[in-house]
């Protein structure tokens, strides 16, 4: 996989997890614990391989030592890169209660709607050159679908993207996967 493609993947993951920076008075209607996240993405109108598939492809080119370092780093970020077709992410109760699903505030997000079943927002991530809109539908505390679309400008290249993330709660116990808000 070309380095540029993997860099785009990491940027998408950062945007995905940094979208939900919300004040504590209106936490996300979801459970804390281990979540399975399936992501489908289009760039410039072309369907792209899943994030997990791209990550797996990238890891194939790594030495065993580098792969272990990468997996350890992803685990420390609360992401299991070996979940096969999906990502597994651990959200702590603190993250859910505070509406902060990540400890990185790289995007400014303004919510136009936040109800028990639907959130709508506009995000600007100056450091990433990204601006876009999104909507989350919460079917219950264990299932959600997030659709977002945006434009990323990096140097002279502009990329439009449409991303659909489907989340399914798996367990209150994250096992050895640490929440994204845990400090190593």
């Amino acid at each position: 996989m070309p380095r540029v493609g993997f860099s785009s993947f990491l940027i998408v993951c950062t945007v995905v997890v940094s979208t939900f920076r919300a004040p504590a008075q209106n936490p996300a209607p979801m459970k804390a614990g281990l979540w399975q996240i399936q992501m489908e993405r289009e760039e410039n109108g072309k369907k792209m391989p899943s994030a997990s598939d791209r990550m797996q492809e990238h890891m194939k080119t790594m030495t065993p030592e580098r792969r272990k370092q990468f997996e350890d780093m992803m685990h420390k970020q609360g992401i299991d890169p070996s979940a096969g077709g999906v990502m597994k992410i651990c959200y702590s109760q603190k993250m859910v209660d505070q509406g902060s699903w990540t400890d990185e505030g790289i995007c400014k997000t303004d919510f136009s709607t936040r109800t028990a079943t639907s959130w709508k927002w506009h995000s600007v991530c100056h450091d990433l050159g990204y601006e876009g809109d999104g909507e989350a539908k919460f079917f219950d505390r264990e299932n959600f679908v997030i659709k977002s679309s945006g434009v990323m400008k990096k140097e002279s290249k502009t990329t439009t993207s449409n991303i659909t993330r489907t989340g399914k709660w798996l367990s209150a116990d994250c096992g050895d996967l640490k929440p994204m808000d845990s400090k190593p």
Side-chain angles (χ1 to χ4, degrees):
M1 171 186 302
R3 181 169 295 280
V4 171
F6 190 69
S7 296
S8 294
F9 161 74
L10 289 177
I11 290 170
V12 166
C13 284
T14 302
V15 171
V16 166
V17 296
S18 64
T19 298
F20 290 96
R21 303 240 0 126
Q25 73 268 16
N26 197 359
M30 59 183 279
K31 290 182 175 183
L34 185 63
W35 283 80
Q36 171 180 292
I37 309 294
Q38 178 78 38
M39 186 163 59
E40 296 176 14
R41 185 170 62 100
E42 281 185 6
E43 276 188 10
N44 297 327
K46 180 182 174 188
K47 184 173 177 164
M48 303 303 288
S50 75
S52 182
D53 290 344
R54 289 172 52 158
M55 188 184 309
Q56 292 297 321
E57 237 358 84
H58 178 68
M59 290 189 329
K60 285 180 185 177
T61 65
M62 295 178 179
T63 64
E65 297 80 20
R66 178 69 183 119
R67 181 183 175 117
K68 172 83 169 101
Q69 288 175 338
F70 180 78
E71 288 174 341
D72 289 348
M73 184 265 308
M74 293 301 284
H75 268 91
K76 287 178 182 174
Q77 297 298 317
I79 300 171
D80 180 355
S82 63
V86 297
M87 288 190 289
K88 290 186 179 176
I89 300 176
C90 183
Y91 296 121
S92 71
Q93 187 63 51
K94 176 183 169 187
M95 294 166 72
V96 173
D97 289 347
Q98 292 182 349
S100 175
W101 296 2
T102 179
D103 62 351
E104 296 181 330
I106 60 169
C107 298
K108 179 180 180 333
T109 299
D110 294 312
F111 290 88
S112 59
T113 304
R114 280 204 328 229
T115 70
T117 59
S118 177
W119 287 17
K120 292 182 182 180
W121 63 87
H122 180 79
S123 292
V124 177
C125 311
H126 293 290
D127 292 347
L128 301 175
Y130 174 85
E131 184 169 353
D133 297 296
E135 180 176 12
K137 296 278 189 185
F138 297 95
F139 302 106
D140 53 38
R141 294 187 63 220
E142 298 180 359
N143 296 279
F144 63 76
V145 171
I146 300 170
K147 294 188 177 193
S148 59
S149 60
V151 176
M152 185 178 305
K153 295 179 181 178
K154 191 169 185 178
E155 298 169 5
S156 63
K157 185 177 180 182
T158 300
T159 304
T160 60
S161 64
N162 294 301
I163 301 170
T164 300
R165 292 173 297 283
T166 305
K168 179 181 178 184
W169 184 80
L170 299 175
S171 170
D173 181 5
C174 291
D176 67 345
L177 190 61
K178 301 297 179 209
M180 295 171 64
D181 64 344
S182 296
K183 299 295 182 200

